[in-house]
């Protein structure tokens, strides 16, 4: 029986509560009606919603960046904890935005997309900094090879020599705030002294500062790409034929549901029982990440976004053709989001060797995976009902 960790539990409850408040503030949660809805209106709502969601994420990332600057200006256990809490809050806003991927938009354009610089994982800790048994590991501890830590350096080094050689983004920052997670019942516990008296403390501080600044920069680029009234990606998206624009939106929610969330982020770790394959392993924030991703699918279907943006969503368009199918999908998505919220934190306790598949927490992980897979089939069927073909994993 894993030891109950009150701090982890309180943090999990508070962050999930924030997600629930976000959902409550995102407009009408009623079942879709069969009233005729313009497909172009749904496209416009989606475009405005993407911009609003990225803008919300940017604001909380800027608050995190300020908390990190405050910590680095006056390092202490208290200011380090404040920076960690700011990271956790910012992740709540970022999680739902991941549904805007998988179709070659600004974040994952083949040539210019920044997703790999923002949220790449899993991360080989030793690529960045010291790890247990290797105090000299990483870029931080290599002043001869990397005399100056700059934005250009960490961007250039990202995923060089292997996909796990992640040097930028949310999880690089996470590792620099928490350190390795060596506690079976809680997150990492990097001491504030790593930024004061430890070897290469100044380089570690510079790395954290630069990584945080870069994340804000990349999120600002996404906000700009979806801003209204500009010659940008949003303008080209809204100029598409409505069915093509909806195909991209359906692809995003379909791929997030099964290929990414149910598959890469949950099934891989579940079957391999691998903590290294969980999404936010240093902070033990994985359960909250899962809820955020699942909620992102619901957000797009409802057409209700952060910042008060709301209008016809994909469910409304589906209901115009088949109210019964829309009702079915609404029910299935509610089931998956609620199932995700019921996964006990921390996620890694369900990955341990010896934990039975019938253990309540591990069984809840599987229920969530199955619910996400079920809704994906309905998403594909709903798109086809509209005359739209999507290909998802």
């Amino acid at each position: 029986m894993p030891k109950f960790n009150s701090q982890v539990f309180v943090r999990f409850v508070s962050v999930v509560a924030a997600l629930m408040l976000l959902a409550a503030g995102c407009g009408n949660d009623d079942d879709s009606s069969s009233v005729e809805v313009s497909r172009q209106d749904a496209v416009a709502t989606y475009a405005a919603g993407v911009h609003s969601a990225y803008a919300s994420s940017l604001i909380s990332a800027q608050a995190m960046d300020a908390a990190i600057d405050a910590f680095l200006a006056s390092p202490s256990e208290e200011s380090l904890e404040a920076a960690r809490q700011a990271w956790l809050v910012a992740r709540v806003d970022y999680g739902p935005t991941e549904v805007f991927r998988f179709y070659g938009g600004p974040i994952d354009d083949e040539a210019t997309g920044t997703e790999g610089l923002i949220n790449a994982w899993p991360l080989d800790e030793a690529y960045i900094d010291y790890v247990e048994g290797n105090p000299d590991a990483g870029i931080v501890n290599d002043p001869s090879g990397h005399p100056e830590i700059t934005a250009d350096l960490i961007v250039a080094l990202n995923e060089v020599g292997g996909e796990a050689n992640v040097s930028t983004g949310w999880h690089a920052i996470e590792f620099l705030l928490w350190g390795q997670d060596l506690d079976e019942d809680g997150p990492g516990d990097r001491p504030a002294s790593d930024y004061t008296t430890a070897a290469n403390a100044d380089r570690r501080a510079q790395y954290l500062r630069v990584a945080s600044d870069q994340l804000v920069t990349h999120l600002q680029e996404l906000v700009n790409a979806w801003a209204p009234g500009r010659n940008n990606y949003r303008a080209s998206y809204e100029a598409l034929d409505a069915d093509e624009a909806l195909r991209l939106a359906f692809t995003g929610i379909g791929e997030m549901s099964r290929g990414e969330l149910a598959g890469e982020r949950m099934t891989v770790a579940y079957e391999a029982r691998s903590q290294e394959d969980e999404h936010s392993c240093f902070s033990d924030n994985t359960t909250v990440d899962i809820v955020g991703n699942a909620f992102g699918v619901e957000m797009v279907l409802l057409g209700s976004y952060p910042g008060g943006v709301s209008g016809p969503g994909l469910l409304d368009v589906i209901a115009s053709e088949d109210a019964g199918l829309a009702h079915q999908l609404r029910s299935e998505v509610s089931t998956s989001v609620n199932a995700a919220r019921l996964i006990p934190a921390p996620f890694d306790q369900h990955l341990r060797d010896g934990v039975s598949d019938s253990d309540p927490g591990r069984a809840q992980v599987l229920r969530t995976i199955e619910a996400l897979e079920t809704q994906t089939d309905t998403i594909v069927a709903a798109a086809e009902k509209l005359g739209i073909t999507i290909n998802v994993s």
Side-chain angles (χ1 to χ4, degrees):
M1 175 69 67
K3 181 178 66 179
F4 177 74
N5 186 302
S6 60
Q7 289 182 332
V8 172
F9 178 76
V10 169
R11 173 166 60 79
F12 173 70
V13 170
S14 64
V15 176
V16 172
L19 274 168
M20 295 178 72
L21 286 173
L22 175 63
C26 279
N28 190 356
D29 200 37
D30 294 338
D31 290 338
S32 298
S33 70
S34 58
V35 175
E36 184 69 27
V37 170
S38 162
R39 297 188 183 195
Q40 195 62 55
D41 286 346
V43 170
T45 298
Y46 178 82
V50 175
H51 176 256
S52 182
Y54 276 134
S56 293
S57 181
L58 174 62
I59 289 169
S60 56
Q62 289 170 329
M64 177 197 71
D65 188 51
I68 287 172
D69 286 344
F71 160 61
L72 296 176
S74 184
S76 69
E77 295 299 334
E78 292 75 19
S79 58
L80 175 56
E81 182 58 25
R84 289 170 175 166
Q85 291 300 317
W87 186 94
L88 293 168
V89 170
R91 286 294 288 181
V92 173
D93 288 328
Y94 182 75
T97 72
E98 294 201 80
V99 78
F100 309 136
R101 293 177 48 201
F102 313 114
Y103 54 78
I107 191 166
D108 53 7
D109 177 91
E110 188 173 339
T112 62
T114 51
E115 202 282 331
L117 297 171
I118 292 174
N119 199 43
W121 68 285
L123 180 152
D124 179 0
E125 305 98 310
Y127 190 60
I128 293 177
D129 198 4
Y130 76 87
V131 294
E132 187 178 42
N134 191 352
D136 299 321
I139 299 164
V140 166
N141 299 298
D142 185 17
S144 59
H146 306 295
E148 187 177 2
I149 296 176
T150 65
D152 288 344
L153 175 73
I154 67 171
V155 167
L157 292 177
N158 195 54
E159 298 184 330
V160 170
E163 290 184 356
N165 289 345
V166 176
S167 57
T168 68
W170 286 109
H171 300 296
I173 297 167
E174 179 194 10
F175 172 55
L176 289 165
L177 290 174
W178 274 274
Q180 284 181 287
D181 181 6
L182 303 175
D183 185 344
E184 286 191 350
D185 302 309
D189 190 27
R190 183 188 289 275
S193 59
D194 273 5
Y195 292 90
T196 55
T197 59
N200 292 310
D202 56 336
R203 288 174 57 83
R204 187 170 295 109
Q206 176 64 5
Y207 199 124
L208 177 57
R209 181 180 294 108
V210 169
S212 182
D213 289 346
Q214 278 298 107
L215 178 61
V216 169
T217 295
H218 290 137
L219 289 173
Q220 181 67 69
E221 291 170 355
L222 294 174
V223 172
N224 294 346
W226 284 95
R230 301 188 188 182
N231 182 20
N232 57 4
Y233 180 84
R234 178 174 175 174
S236 62
Y237 177 82
E238 292 187 304
L240 293 171
D241 175 80
D243 282 0
E244 173 60 13
L246 289 176
R247 184 187 68 81
L248 301 182
F250 270 106
T251 298
I253 64 171
E255 189 62 29
M256 172 53 76
S257 291
R258 185 164 60 202
E260 185 70 12
L261 183 52
E264 292 293 328
R265 302 195 178 193
M266 299 185 70
T267 299
V268 170
Y270 175 87
E271 292 184 346
R273 294 178 180 264
S274 171
Q275 180 182 344
E276 291 300 315
D277 286 313
E278 68 160 318
H279 197 60
S280 293
C281 64
F282 311 117
S283 62
D284 275 346
N285 195 61
T286 301
T287 49
V288 176
D289 289 337
I290 291 169
V291 173
N293 291 164
F295 174 72
V297 175
E298 184 178 55
M299 178 177 72
V300 172
L301 285 166
L302 292 175
S304 299
Y305 297 86
V309 172
S310 64
L314 300 190
L315 277 176
D316 296 304
V317 179
I318 297 165
S320 295
E321 297 292 332
D322 190 329
L325 187 58
H327 180 83
Q328 176 186 338
L329 181 54
R330 180 70 190 95
S331 177
E332 290 173 353
V333 171
S334 293
T335 296
S336 70
V337 173
N338 289 332
R341 286 175 175 151
L342 291 173
I343 299 173
F347 188 80
D348 56 13
Q349 69 180 313
H350 314 306
L351 308 179
R352 297 174 186 166
D353 291 334
V355 176
S356 169
D357 286 348
S358 62
D359 176 84
R362 189 164 166 81
Q364 189 61 37
V365 173
L366 184 57
R367 276 192 289 272
T368 305
I369 291 170
E370 291 173 342
L372 290 163
E373 290 174 340
T374 295
Q375 77 183 31
T376 307
D377 290 338
T378 308
I379 288 169
V380 173
E384 289 179 351
K385 189 71 176 182
L386 300 174
I388 297 169
T389 300
I390 63 172
N391 297 308
V392 298
S393 301

